[in-house]
Amino acid sequence: MKKYYEDKKYLSIVDDILEHSEFKKLGNYIHHGGTRLDHCIRVSYHSYKVCKFFHLNSKSAARAGLLHDFFFIDNLSLDIKTRLKVLVDHPKYACNNAKKCFKISKLEEDIILSHMFPVGIRVPRRLESWIVNLVDDFDAINERIINWIKQLSSAIRIINKQS
């Protein structure tokens, strides 16, 4: 996480969100094997860098990337049917929370609401929205793979100790 906090330009864009007491609570929620806070920071930073490279609105990508999963439901405690409903509906929860705590632009709203496409039905309307959507997918897959490797490695160690 260190590299995100060394990028002064990025921090100047998102510092108010990172320091907000409600936003910090995302650190208490497990998400793809890590915390929801860490996931949001990675999605935000990588979306910011990609948009900056392509001369798109990197500021909105950074801010909406942080806020795309800004909701407070513990997925691990839910039955499968409710989990699926939250999977589809959480962009609305995140957008409502973002609007309560921050002033967000129409672009940022689109990014947050469409980040689950095609699982969610809202199609991204801008390139920045597509980028956050793809970065979010990539990060979620990466988190899962890393978690599986850790579990496999742990299992192998246990088997080796028993041998």
Side-chain angles (χ1 to χ4, degrees):
M1 287 300 221
K2 190 175 182 182
K3 67 181 172 182
Y4 313 124
Y5 295 108
E6 292 175 352
D7 189 327
K8 303 254 186 268
K9 178 71 173 159
Y10 170 74
L11 282 177
S12 71
I13 294 168
V14 299
D15 195 45
D16 64 312
I17 299 172
L18 290 172
E19 294 303 318
H20 196 279
S21 60
E22 284 297 300
F23 184 78
K24 287 180 179 181
K25 291 177 184 177
L26 293 180
N28 299 324
Y29 294 87
I30 301 298
H31 196 75
H32 307 304
T35 70
R36 193 171 295 153
L37 177 64
D38 291 342
H39 167 74
C40 288
I41 292 169
R42 283 192 304 273
V43 170
S44 170
Y45 186 72
H46 293 297
S47 297
Y48 163 77
K49 294 297 270 186
V50 171
C51 286
K52 193 172 177 182
F53 178 82
F54 287 111
H55 304 287
L56 298 170
N57 191 328
S58 57
K59 178 182 177 182
S60 287
R63 294 182 67 78
L66 272 181
L67 298 169
H68 81 281
D69 280 340
F70 185 33
F71 69 102
F72 306 103
I73 297 171
D74 179 11
N75 291 335
L76 299 177
S77 65
L78 304 175
D79 61 82
I80 191 71
K81 185 178 177 183
T82 308
R83 253 186 178 178
L84 290 173
K85 182 168 176 24
V86 170
L87 180 69
V88 172
D89 291 343
H90 81 269
K92 293 178 210 160
Y93 309 148
C95 192
N96 288 337
N97 288 333
K99 286 178 175 181
K100 285 179 194 170
C101 296
F102 308 100
K103 184 177 182 349
I104 64 169
S105 69
K106 289 293 182 192
L107 171 57
E108 291 161 358
E109 182 176 350
D110 182 63
I111 292 169
I112 295 166
L113 289 173
S114 64
H115 84 270
M116 285 301 294
F117 182 80
V119 174
I121 59 170
R122 183 168 174 141
V123 179
R125 296 181 180 147
R126 299 273 303 272
L127 285 174
E128 294 88 348
S129 303
W130 280 104
I131 288 168
V132 173
N133 186 6
L134 293 171
V135 169
D136 179 42
D137 291 345
F138 177 79
D139 189 71
I141 291 166
N142 189 47
E143 286 176 338
R144 286 286 184 206
I145 291 171
I146 289 169
N147 196 36
W148 290 333
I149 290 170
K150 286 178 183 176
Q151 289 174 347
L152 180 61
S153 176
S154 179
I156 291 170
R157 270 185 260 137
I158 291 169
I159 290 168
N160 285 339
K161 284 182 182 178
Q162 292 173 351
S163 301

